[in-house]
């Protein structure tokens, strides 16, 4: 079992709809969780981080964390073609240094 | 430019050659990380520095991989006797603090191809 699991996709969502990306993790000691966006051929860029159970909203993005279920999600409202990218879920490592990434979900927003 | 820079952006090596990859972190950033990203996969942790101290090198795949940050700023990842399985994008990231709870800013990466 990988430490951070994501569906590889591709996930196809119509423009203007809500895109829902999901992630599970295995280490119950994980304290911090991140969503990175990576365009093809580019480096990852952080779009959201969350530490506490519940929802965290930033513009069109909402991160949701459920530590009991070891589940993290990212919702993107009013999806735009520019949101088409690979979304990487990651957790803070127990050594308080490294970040463990999932393999990413490819998201495609169709006009 | 205020971002993380890496050089070279592309490197082609013959199997058995040694390579050196450079990372210039954001000025003043304490922490520096190296990751390896294979095609279609997420980045895999290699090693971590806090200032000049290498605090975690658990992700280095073999003793052919060596990293240093002698003055606490620029870092070099060296791969000796390269193998085809070393072909990947090598990403460097830096952050302002020494914990994993703060944003890591990634450089553009170095794409290494071993023939």
């Amino acid at each position: 079992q990988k430490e951070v699991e994501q569906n590889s996709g591709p996930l196809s969502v119509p423009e203007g709809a809500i895109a829902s990306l999901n992630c599970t993790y295995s280490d119950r000691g994980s304290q911090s969780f991140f969503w990175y966006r990576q365009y093809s051929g580019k480096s990852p860029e952080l779009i959201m981080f969350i530490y506490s159970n519940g929802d965290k909203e930033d513009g069109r993005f909402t991160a949701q964390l459920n530590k009991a279920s070891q589940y993290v999600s990212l919702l993107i409202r009013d999806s735009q073609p520019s949101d088409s990218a690979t979304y990487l879920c990651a957790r803070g490592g127990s050594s308080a240094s490294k970040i463990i990434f999932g393999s990413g979900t490819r998201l495609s927003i169709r006009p | 430019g205020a971002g993380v820079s890496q050089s070279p952006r592309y490197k082609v090596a013959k199997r058995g050659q040694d390579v050196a990859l450079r990372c210039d972190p954001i000025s003043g950033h304490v922490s520096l990380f190296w990751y390896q990203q294979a095609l279609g996969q997420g980045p895999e942790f290699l090693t971590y520095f806090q200032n000049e101290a290498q605090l975690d090198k658990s992700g280095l795949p073999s003793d052919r991989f060596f990293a240093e940050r002698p003055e606490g700023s620029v870092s070099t990842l060296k791969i000796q006797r390269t193998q085809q399985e070393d072909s990947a994008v090598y990403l460097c990231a830096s952050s302002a603090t020494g914990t994993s709870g703060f944003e890591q800013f990634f450089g553009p990466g170095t794409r290494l191809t071993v023939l």
Side-chain angles (χ1 to χ4, degrees):
Chain A
Q1 181 190 13
K2 297 186 74 171
E3 291 196 55
V4 179
E5 296 267 12
Q6 296 182 255
N7 188 317
S8 62
L11 175 65
S12 181
V13 173
E15 184 174 357
I18 296 175
S20 177
L21 303 161
N22 305 312
C23 169
T24 58
Y25 62 94
S26 59
D27 184 353
R28 286 192 171 275
S30 301
Q31 297 297 315
S32 53
F33 303 88
F34 308 88
W35 283 99
Y36 282 81
R37 178 176 63 199
Q38 187 171 30
Y39 293 113
S40 181
K42 302 295 185 182
S43 57
E45 58 177 322
L46 182 70
I47 52 174
M48 290 287 289
F49 62 88
I50 186 167
Y51 304 142
S52 304
N53 274 328
D55 295 0
K56 179 181 179 182
E57 186 174 320
D58 184 1
R60 296 188 297 113
F61 299 96
T62 298
Q64 299 174 317
L65 173 61
N66 183 326
K67 290 188 177 182
S69 301
Q70 296 174 249
Y71 178 91
V72 192
S73 66
L74 179 70
L75 301 177
I76 307 174
R77 290 180 298 281
D78 188 24
S79 297
Q80 304 296 310
S82 59
D83 295 326
S84 297
T86 295
Y87 288 80
L88 298 164
C89 174
R91 69 155 183 87
S94 57
S95 62
S97 58
K98 63 187 176 186
I99 286 178
I100 307 298
F101 286 87
S103 296
T105 299
R106 281 188 298 133
L107 174 65
S108 176
I109 307 300
R110 56 182 190 271
Chain B
V4 179
S5 61
Q6 292 186 246
S7 61
R9 292 291 313 278
Y10 303 91
K11 178 68 179 178
V12 178
K14 292 183 178 178
R15 190 161 58 98
Q17 282 185 330
D18 297 348
V19 299
L21 312 179
R22 177 188 169 105
C23 173
D24 280 89
I26 293 172
S27 178
H29 274 195
V30 169
S31 300
L32 185 146
F33 305 83
W34 283 99
Y35 294 87
Q36 179 191 61
Q37 187 172 24
L39 190 64
Q41 300 296 315
E44 297 272 353
F45 170 80
L46 294 177
T47 187
Y48 155 60
F49 290 86
Q50 186 169 334
N51 296 304
E52 69 277 7
Q54 189 174 19
L55 299 188
D56 187 345
K57 54 181 181 179
S58 61
L60 295 176
S62 76
D63 58 7
R64 297 186 296 104
F65 287 71
F66 172 77
E68 60 183 5
R69 194 186 185 197
E71 297 178 359
S73 56
V74 171
S75 177
T76 303
L77 175 67
K78 298 179 180 178
I79 309 173
Q80 297 176 323
R81 304 181 304 281
T82 52
Q83 304 294 314
Q84 284 189 319
E85 62 262 28
D86 300 335
S87 296
V89 175
Y90 289 85
L91 294 165
C92 176
S94 71
S95 72
T97 70
T99 76
S100 63
F102 292 83
E103 180 171 5
Q104 293 186 17
F105 295 86
F106 281 84
T110 294
R111 181 177 297 278
L112 173 65
T113 303
V114 181
L115 303 176

